[in-house]
Amino acid sequence: QVQLVESGGGLVQPGGSLRLSCGASGSIFSINAMGWYRQASGKQRELVATITSGGNTNYADSVKGRFTISRDNAKNTVYLQMNSLKAEDTAVYYCNAGVVQARGFPTRDYWGQGTQVTVSS
């Protein structure tokens, strides 16, 4: 099995910064894309940012210029640096990874348990 464990959430004032981390462990041969999604109360889960194993990134328009996604392939870890945070960034943030558990196996999606980010004064 594969586990994704997130950390770094919390309460921050508007304009502040937070850094989320998500480490993958378990039966892992390789990881393709990794990403962050978020779900605000009463809303659907939405994409925040993704990054391929080669480092290509994609961002939601709402976070471009404020958030930066990065990864450490040696550590099977993905990060999300969030700057200039706004109240509308308040949500539970989920880590996602496309994991190949053995050579020749298909890619399977795994999700973390979520970490709460609250932006409030």
Side-chain angles (χ1 to χ4, degrees), residues 4-113:
L4 299 182
V5 178
E6 300 125 335
S7 62
L11 173 64
V12 63
Q13 292 186 342
S17 298
L18 281 176
R19 189 191 194 212
L20 305 183
S21 299
C22 172
S25 62
S27 179
I28 299 172
F29 174 74
S30 65
I31 301 178
N32 296 326
M34 301 185 81
W36 291 94
Y37 293 73
R38 66 187 181 187
Q39 187 167 15
S41 180
K43 296 187 177 181
Q44 290 189 331
R45 189 174 299 188
E46 63 177 4
L47 180 147
V48 176
T50 61
I51 184 167
T52 67
S53 57
N56 294 319
T57 59
N58 179 55
Y59 296 92
D61 288 343
S62 59
V63 306
K64 282 180 181 177
R66 300 187 298 121
F67 291 9
T68 301
I69 189 170
S70 61
R71 65 189 281 175
D72 184 333
N73 290 332
K75 296 181 178 179
N76 290 333
T77 299
V78 63
Y79 307 95
L80 185 69
Q81 178 67 43
M82 304 185 293
N83 298 329
S84 302
L85 282 160
K86 306 174 181 179
E88 50 263 44
D89 295 317
T90 296
V92 177
Y93 283 70
Y94 296 91
C95 171
N96 170 266
V99 177
V100 177
Q101 290 189 264
R103 187 183 297 276
F105 277 39
T107 302
R108 181 178 172 185
D109 263 352
Y110 288 88
W111 292 88
Q113 79 286 355

